[in-house]
Amino acid sequence: MPFWPSPISTRDVAASGTRPAWPTARDGRVWWTEDRPDEGGRTTVIHRAPDGACHELLAPPWNARTRVHEYGGRPYAVTPAYEVVFANLEDQRLYLLGADGKPQPLTQEGARYADLLVRDGQVWCVRERHAEDGTVSRAIVTVPLDGDGEPRERVTGHDFYAYPTVSPDGRHLAYVCWDHPNMPWDGTEVRVTSLETGESWPVKGGPAESVLAPSWRDDGHLYLVSDASGWWNLYETALRGEDVRALCPAEEEFAAAPWQLGGLPYAVLGDGRLAVLHGRGDLRLGVLDPESGTLTDLETPFSGWDAALTADGTSVTGIGYAATTPRSVATVDIMTRLTGTADTAGTAGAAGTAGTAGTAGTAGTAGTAGTASAAGTASAAGATTLLRPAAAGRLPDPALLPVPRAVRVPGGEEVHAYLYPPYEPAVEGLPPYVIFVHGGPTAHANSEFSLEKAFFTTRGVGVLDVNYGGSTGYGRAYRERLRGQWGLVDVADVVAAAEWLAAEGLADPARIAVRGGSAGGWTVMAACCRSDVFAGGVSYYGVSALGPLAAHTHDFESRYVEWLVGRPDPAVYAQREPLALVGGVSCPMLLLQGLDDPVVPPEQSAAFADALSERGVACTYLAFEGESHGFRRTETRTAALAAELAFYQQLFS
């Protein structure tokens, strides 16, 4: 089948990575970061002044990225004088960008810093050190803002730290900590340390409870997020963990998995209310009254938001997205009195969300992309201002853009996914489909605008983006489906998704491919080993062998395999890992890999490619110099997508 002509080129998609992130709002000013694919993947900081003018604060070669946990996070903070402190990628030192625009170093080389907070002339942050013997240690430290003095350790003793926040009176420090082998969505603690006496105590959490995002209500009370109920919900607690109170109990998520450091999924407004994100799958924006528990959804042009909000008085700023709207920096001015303008409880606050929980459009499918409003919530208008729409390349006619439909794939366990039908002129026969498999695997696919998906759908190829068992967004029990079952549950779910496409008459069963990156690449390889349902597979920097991964990956995920598969056991590994099951692959494969990847070493893809070649299975292996875990450069992204398109053209012909 020759692909249809499309107005979207590989270059358009590659240039669409100018993604905004990590907003900070204060006194009518807003800051955020932007990636620059055309500048080697550099990240800069943008400042929007009160008059609406936007200014780029960091010129090349400065690159605001932190490598803490290798995935990084918010790489900057703003001082009371509106100056910016940032971590520079090349040397990982902290710098102060003063009014003269010249960065001045605050730290020496040899450490990494993240989760920055400026308070009382100091930068409070998480510091990560890598010793020559390979051991890694972390602490919460303070760095003098005037550059005079060494970082001072404030809290030590745990493997990981996140969310340092100082009480309004400056007497206490709250933070999240956890230890190997847990990941932050498994078991964490919120602890408080007295900055006067050094005494430290637990507030909430434990080995089987994920507690995130502490924030001070006042000197004696904290807000935080916990999944003690099976869902990440908001709570209030007193200083020593007494009087814990759920603010809005709901079978919805009020947070996302913290792969990166520095984002809060809620923000305290100037009048004491909370701007919150909540939902299943996509997270929509609402306002929560912590006293009454009333949750009011806000009508905005977006179907979902990044889990990083910032408040300035009674306005909230974040990164919103929708199916046909690129990720954008937006501020929502929240009306002082929402109750008088609210619609009937249960109506949707964001376009594209269902009005009633579980309402289906057709058998086995949700009515539209998005999730149902929580029982008892209302909707109200909020004046939304786009501060800076994301640069998404040359946008096609909106009529050509796919609008996803949230579907539920039946099987042994119901599987969540987003369906992107192809744009179809008058043609005969069923179209080909590509199943997208997200990384993580404790992460999720959302319904955001994707020029990459439109690249395929405008050529007549449908996309099904699968949130297999283990994905976030649907409660702890859904995440726990993958515990000890990696390579089984995820594979079964993507195979079931392919079979569902064929059974529903949506796709040509002989022309369904599967593609994914990182942990998604593992699932691609494993699915091609265990099933013949796929015509071909595309793996971006995927995992093929467990032993080398556990031995050589970075510290943050070094014990993750224990949760995903079990304690090291060569016999068990041989029953799971794609490299040991490569004899089951009969379809062509395309493997793409960055040669500077510290998360999934290049040997993983190379070994699988060699094994396929030895068996005579068609395989193309492309390696890219200077690329890490996730391709950032325009030239790399262009070449990778061109290779993937050529692969499908041959596969589906």
Side-chain angles (χ1 to χ4, degrees), residues 30 77 157 298 400 493 522 527 534 583 602:
V30 182
L298 293 171
L400 298 179
D493 286 355
W522 153 283
F534 297 110

Side-chain angles (χ1 to χ4, degrees), residues 47-48 70 76 125 132 135 141 177 199 330 334 341 349 356 371 405 417 429 468 498 516 523 525-526 533 591 603:
H47 172 228
R48 187 179 191 271
E70 296 299 346
Y76 77 98
C125 55
E132 292 184 1
T135 59
V141 302
C177 58
E199 179 191 4
I334 300 169
T341 61
T356 306
T371 57
R405 180 162 54 99
Y468 50 87
T523 303
M525 288 186 263
V533 72
L591 309 178
E603 292 77 15

Side-chain angles (χ1 to χ4, degrees), residues 347-401:
T347 59
T353 60
T356 306
T359 298
T362 58
T365 68
T368 54
T371 57
S373 297
T377 65
S379 67
T384 303
T385 302
L386 296 186
L387 306 187
R388 182 146 155 145
R394 185 171 53 86
L395 294 179
D397 183 340
L400 298 179
L401 296 176

Side-chain angles (χ1 to χ4, degrees), residues 25 43 80 122 124 165 171 217 232 281 315 349 384 391 402 412 418 433 461 464 475 515 533 535 620 636 643 650:
T43 300
Q122 303 176 99
W124 296 76
T165 178
R171 297 176 57 195
R217 191 196 80 177
W232 273 317
S315 70
T384 303
Y418 289 106
Y433 259 79
V461 179
L464 184 66
R515 62 100 79 172
V533 72
T620 300
T636 302
Q650 184 174 6

Side-chain angles (χ1 to χ4, degrees), residues 24 31 50 114 175 178 210 248 282-283 293 359 413 438 480 492 500 511 525 532 582 593 639 652:
T24 300
W31 297 257
Y175 52 92
W178 68 98
S210 173
C248 183
D282 291 324
L283 298 179
T359 298
E413 295 268 3
H438 67 71
E480 294 278 347
W500 176 81
R511 295 188 297 165
M525 288 186 263
D532 60 2
V582 70
Q593 178 68 49
F652 296 150

Side-chain angles (χ1 to χ4, degrees), residues 24-159:
T24 300
R26 181 182 302 163
D27 302 332
R29 304 168 182 260
V30 182
W31 297 257
W32 64 88
T33 63
E34 283 185 1
D35 293 343
R36 298 292 168 85
D38 285 338
E39 298 178 22
R42 187 179 74 90
T43 300
T44 188
V45 178
I46 304 296
H47 172 228
R48 187 179 191 271
D51 63 2
C54 291
H55 307 278
E56 180 176 347
L57 300 183
L58 293 182
W62 298 103
N63 193 343
R65 281 176 58 198
T66 171
R67 290 188 58 193
V68 171
H69 297 180
E70 296 299 346
Y71 293 108
R74 182 189 297 272
Y76 77 98
V78 180
T79 75
Y82 309 128
E83 297 176 326
V84 169
V85 177
F86 70 97
N88 186 50
L89 177 63
E90 182 178 2
D91 56 14
Q92 288 298 289
R93 298 171 73 180
L94 289 182
Y95 288 82
L96 175 65
L97 183 65
D100 60 1
K102 297 179 180 179
Q104 299 297 323
L106 298 180
T107 60
Q108 301 299 315
E109 292 189 51
R112 306 173 182 182
Y113 302 89
D115 231 344
L116 313 181
L117 166 72
V118 176
R119 175 75 186 269
D120 300 329
Q122 303 176 99
V123 183
W124 296 76
C125 55
V126 176
R127 183 187 66 192
E128 179 180 278
R129 282 179 166 171
H130 293 246
E132 292 184 1
D133 63 0
T135 59
V136 181
S137 61
R138 298 175 186 85
I140 295 178
V141 302
T142 50
V143 177
L145 198 58
D146 60 9
D148 185 16
E150 294 295 316
R152 175 185 173 187
E153 291 187 350
R154 298 290 190 155
V155 178
T156 62
H158 290 278
D159 293 331

